Amino acid sequence: MKARTLQRDKVNIITLGCSKNLVDSEVLSGQLKANEIDVVHENAKLDHNIVVVNTCGFIDKAKEESINTILDQVALKKKGKLDKVYVTGCLSERYRGDLEAEIPEVDAWFGTFELPLMLKQFNADYKSELLGERMLATPKHYAYMKISEGCNRTCSFCAIPLMRGQHVSRSIDSLVAEAESLVQKGVKEVMLIAQELTYYGLDLYKKRKLDELLNRLADVKGLEWIRLHYAYPNKFPMEVLDVMRQRDNICNYLDMPLQHASDNMLKAMRRQSTRAEMEDLIAAIRDKNPGICLRTTLITGFPGETRDDVEDLKDFLEKQRFDRVGIFTYSHEENTSAYDLEDNIPADEKQRRAQEIMEVQQEISYEKNQEKIGQTFKVLIDKKEAGRYLGRTEFDSVEVDNEVVITADKKLPVGDFVQVKITKAYDYDLEGEVVE
């Protein structure tokens, strides 16, 4: 048996970037715990001696945050407050050679698919029987579930295939088993994530199988909400909407990043869709699933974007009236095909355009929220803050969408569902009271 030092190792995992990274950190935590190693996530007590920084390398701001976090941890190591600093994730996958030279104080660097290698640093074994097992870093009533890895698309602005590789689906059986395990831990809502959900199954089963996966997951007892994130519009599998409509525990919610609406920009971004095709798809989705909540994300400031392109995008938003919209400013990424284009729009102008577009959406969001006053919704209680409860309807995903602020005389346990009548509405949030 391995001799223990007087101070037992305690590992703190810091996760940056997207929910897919969070799942990777949860898997690492589960493996360390299974090897009887103390592990925590985002530890505020600072009583750990080893840090793993799980980095994001998607856009400039994310890369900057990742590097600053690494430097902060290295500074703690220099002061004797940490024994080891390890770095993993997308930034490490993409820039490992440069980073090793620039920050030699880091003890080891790992890519996105090197979990077994990382575990060796802890004299730990990779336990394949734990596939799908994780130590959740989210509140216990919801979890993200990654159904595939990588992406086969060739969008000109996107570096994800450089960091995550080609699309690889997980089997339906393994995902159902993971969902059952999550429910046993108290999870009531799973958010399905991938670089592209709608491609699911093509590599493994030679046909798109998201609809079959959803049906199987909807059968899992105790799973009350299933939510879909990151659907690609081109060749969208419409049968998914049939399952969504037929199964009560699949949220009437779809996150479909469209990135732009100007045909010039869509072509330059290699998005494989025109504005007219996207409009037809949105109409077909709403026709099949009336009342569906549509979320999208957009990019502004792509090379060559003109005022006309911005006006096209604003016009598109006004006509389509999405329920939720997120916006990024374009980031010029090495080794993408757009990197050959001149990044000709200044950062402050990109930001102005993003603000202008969000002001259009803000008004739409306010109007849509006003329509909810007097209606009653099933709401999941996420937390209590400043004496009030915060929850979400089926039309809201965690952290990125609206919250419902609830006043209640009695205690509302976090993770419970309650019926809430909406009494007030704002640009992005609602207020309501519990009804029996």
Side-chain angles (χ1 to χ4, degrees):
M1 184 174 168
K2 185 186 167 204
R4 293 280 184 196
T5 57
L6 287 175
Q7 183 196 350
R8 189 178 177 192
D9 285 339
K10 186 171 185 177
V11 182
N12 180 35
I13 301 175
I14 299 172
T15 305
L16 304 166
C18 67
S19 51
K20 294 178 278 294
N21 258 16
L22 185 68
V23 171
D24 292 343
S25 290
E26 291 174 342
V27 170
L28 170 60
S29 299
Q31 289 282 340
L32 290 172
K33 189 180 178 186
N35 280 277
E36 298 184 351
I37 295 168
D38 280 350
V39 58
V40 286
H41 193 259
E42 311 281 2
N43 185 27
K45 291 182 182 175
L46 302 178
D47 59 350
H48 51 271
N49 66 317
I50 298 173
V51 163
V52 177
V53 183
N54 189 358
T55 57
C56 179
F58 183 46
I59 57 176
D60 286 340
K61 283 181 182 175
K63 288 186 279 189
E64 186 180 338
E65 183 188 18
S66 292
I67 289 168
N68 287 339
T69 303
I70 295 165
L71 293 174
D72 288 346
Q73 300 310 307
V74 162
L76 290 173
K77 182 186 169 188
K78 285 178 180 174
K79 290 176 184 173
K81 295 183 177 180
L82 291 174
D83 296 330
K84 301 278 186 183
V85 176
Y86 299 121
V87 179
T88 185
C90 291
L91 190 82
S92 185
E93 175 75 32
R94 194 172 173 197
Y95 299 107
R96 187 185 323 203
D98 294 338
L99 290 166
E100 282 174 339
E102 290 290 327
I103 317 176
E105 298 87 353
V106 169
D107 293 276
W109 302 82
F110 302 95
T112 49
F113 299 106
E114 294 182 328
L115 175 60
L117 207 57
M118 195 190 319
L119 290 169
K120 285 184 180 177
Q121 295 288 332
F122 300 94
N123 294 316
D125 298 320
Y126 176 71
K127 298 183 183 293
S128 56
E129 70 273 16
L130 290 179
L131 200 63
E133 284 294 318
R134 296 138 53 185
M135 189 173 137
L136 293 181
T138 55
K140 72 174 188 178
H141 61 283
Y142 66 79
Y144 296 97
M145 199 159 78
K146 196 191 296 192
I147 68 169
S148 64
E149 188 61 270
C151 186
N152 289 7
R153 301 291 181 182
T154 56
C155 303
S156 62
F157 55 83
C158 186
I160 285 173
L162 302 172
M163 299 178 283
R164 292 284 178 174
Q166 294 290 287
H167 181 98
V168 180
S169 301
R170 292 178 55 198
S171 74
I172 290 175
D173 286 346
S174 72
L175 290 165
V176 171
E178 181 175 344
E180 289 170 343
S181 170
L182 289 169
V183 168
Q184 285 170 7
K185 292 176 182 174
V187 169
K188 296 179 180 179
E189 174 187 21
V190 295
M191 287 161 277
L192 303 189
I193 55 172
Q195 266 73 41
E196 189 204 328
L197 280 186
T198 47
Y199 206 83
Y200 176 77
L202 263 176
D203 55 318
L204 203 56
Y205 304 109
K206 308 308 173 200
K207 63 183 286 193
R208 293 174 191 258
K209 287 269 192 172
L210 183 58
D211 59 328
E212 186 176 326
L213 173 64
L214 287 172
N215 257 323
R216 291 281 304 279
L217 290 175
D219 286 337
V220 174
K221 285 185 171 55
L223 190 52
E224 296 207 39
W225 276 358
I226 301 164
R227 188 179 302 281
L228 276 65
H229 276 286
Y230 319 128
Y232 193 87
N234 185 256
K235 296 182 180 176
F236 181 87
M238 297 298 284
E239 59 273 13
V240 165
L241 299 169
D242 297 326
V243 182
M244 187 183 285
R245 193 177 63 248
Q246 291 156 8
R247 307 302 299 260
D248 288 342
N249 56 349
I250 301 177
C251 296
N252 201 18
Y253 175 103
L254 183 65
D255 182 355
M256 187 166 61
L258 298 177
Q259 314 302 5
H260 216 286
S262 154
D263 284 337
N264 293 332
M265 288 293 97
L266 291 168
K267 186 176 180 182
M269 290 177 173
R270 298 188 178 177
R271 288 293 292 168
Q272 301 178 303
S273 294
T274 63
R275 173 172 171 170
E277 286 168 340
M278 293 192 311
E279 287 175 335
D280 286 347
L281 174 61
I282 292 162
I285 290 171
R286 284 176 168 155
D287 185 54
K288 268 205 168 195
N289 287 42
I292 191 170
C293 175
L294 285 180
R295 169 174 237 284
T296 194
T297 45
L298 306 166
I299 295 172
T300 189
F302 187 86
E305 184 185 61
T306 64
R307 282 304 315 172
D308 284 347
D309 295 324
V310 175
E311 292 304 319
D312 272 359
L313 187 47
K314 286 160 65 178
D315 178 68
F316 178 72
L317 287 181
E318 284 166 353
K319 286 179 175 159
Q320 297 307 315
R321 295 179 66 79
F322 291 95
D323 300 88
R324 315 279 182 258
V325 173
I327 192 152
F328 294 92
T329 54
Y330 171 73
S331 179
H332 208 46
E333 296 297 316
E334 303 97 328
N335 299 319
T336 61
S337 58
Y339 196 66
D340 295 334
L341 304 172
E342 184 189 352
D343 187 14
N344 61 344
I345 300 168
D348 59 347
E349 175 59 20
K350 289 177 185 176
Q351 200 57 54
R352 268 195 299 274
R353 293 181 185 186
Q355 183 61 32
E356 197 178 320
I357 290 158
M358 279 312 294
E359 282 171 6
V360 172
Q361 179 57 29
Q362 188 173 355
E363 193 172 325
I364 294 166
S365 180
Y366 177 78
E367 289 167 359
K368 281 182 167 270
N369 279 352
Q370 289 296 310
E371 293 167 6
K372 294 181 171 67
I373 293 174
Q375 294 186 49
T376 298
F377 295 94
K378 180 181 177 182
V379 171
L380 179 58
I381 304 296
D382 278 333
K383 56 189 169 184
K384 188 178 183 183
E385 209 172 75
R388 302 183 305 174
Y389 293 98
L390 299 177
R392 291 175 292 115
T393 70
E394 73 170 292
F395 308 115
D396 301 291
S397 194
V398 72
E399 291 184 351
V400 293
D401 292 331
N402 291 358
E403 287 182 318
V404 184
V405 181
I406 305 158
T407 48
D409 297 328
K410 62 178 185 179
K411 184 181 177 184
L412 303 178
V414 169
D416 274 12
F417 287 93
V418 292
Q419 292 293 319
V420 176
K421 185 177 181 180
I422 304 305
T423 54
K424 291 182 184 176
Y426 306 96
D427 293 345
Y428 296 115
D429 291 321
L430 303 168
E431 281 189 29
E433 54 194 27
V434 176
V435 294
E436 298 301 331

